[in-house]
Amino acid sequence: MNKFFAVFALVAISMAVAAPSSPETAARRALPALQHEEIHDEFGQYALRYVTAEGTVVSERGRLVSNPDGTGHVLVTEGETSYIGDDGRTYVTKYSAGFDGVKVEGNHLPVAPEPLPAQ
């Protein structure tokens, strides 16, 4: 569950980078979602998608996957967020959280340097 919140925090930060620069943009961003779909099941699995007036699209799903050792299940989360920045470019952030940790990718995000080889 902590991975889930970490992914949401990263997405929120990436969306905050595109803070409104004009009253018109701010007004559009205050409008409710144009589309909103959300499905949940009794096991905690879910899928959601929404589209806002300014062009932000969020889609995410969480599904239960068996532990490799067969002792239970883990909720694996995958999603994508896209928005149009003040510069007119579309920014896409893809993320996942599961057995292999949290992964976030997007062409607009900084890339960590390669680690130095051990000596």
Side-chain angles (χ1 to χ4, degrees), residues 15-63:
M15 290 181 73
V17 170
S21 62
S22 71
E24 182 179 292
T25 303
R28 264 197 331 256
R29 289 183 179 166
L31 294 173
L34 298 176
Q35 291 180 348
H36 183 186
E37 302 167 24
E38 200 165 329
I39 302 168
H40 297 269
D41 73 9
E42 64 274 11
F43 304 109
Q45 300 179 110
Y46 66 93
L48 64 88
R49 181 175 191 276
Y50 67 86
V51 179
T52 64
E54 83 281 356
T56 298
V57 179
V58 175
S59 61
E60 181 175 297
R61 76 179 193 146
R63 58 190 170 85

Side-chain angles (χ1 to χ4, degrees), residues 6-102:
V7 169
F8 267 152
L10 289 170
V11 171
I13 290 169
S14 76
M15 290 181 73
V17 170
S21 62
S22 71
E24 182 179 292
T25 303
R28 264 197 331 256
R29 289 183 179 166
L31 294 173
L34 298 176
Q35 291 180 348
H36 183 186
E37 302 167 24
E38 200 165 329
I39 302 168
H40 297 269
D41 73 9
E42 64 274 11
F43 304 109
Q45 300 179 110
Y46 66 93
L48 64 88
R49 181 175 191 276
Y50 67 86
V51 179
T52 64
E54 83 281 356
T56 298
V57 179
V58 175
S59 61
E60 181 175 297
R61 76 179 193 146
R63 58 190 170 85
L64 289 175
V65 177
S66 296
N67 281 330
D69 60 7
T71 59
H73 294 83
V74 171
L75 184 68
V76 174
T77 304
E78 301 166 327
E80 179 174 314
T81 302
S82 67
Y83 64 91
I84 301 169
D86 292 335
D87 58 2
R89 293 177 44 199
T90 299
Y91 295 89
V92 179
T93 305
K94 296 181 181 184
Y95 55 90
S96 65
F99 293 109
D100 54 353
V102 175

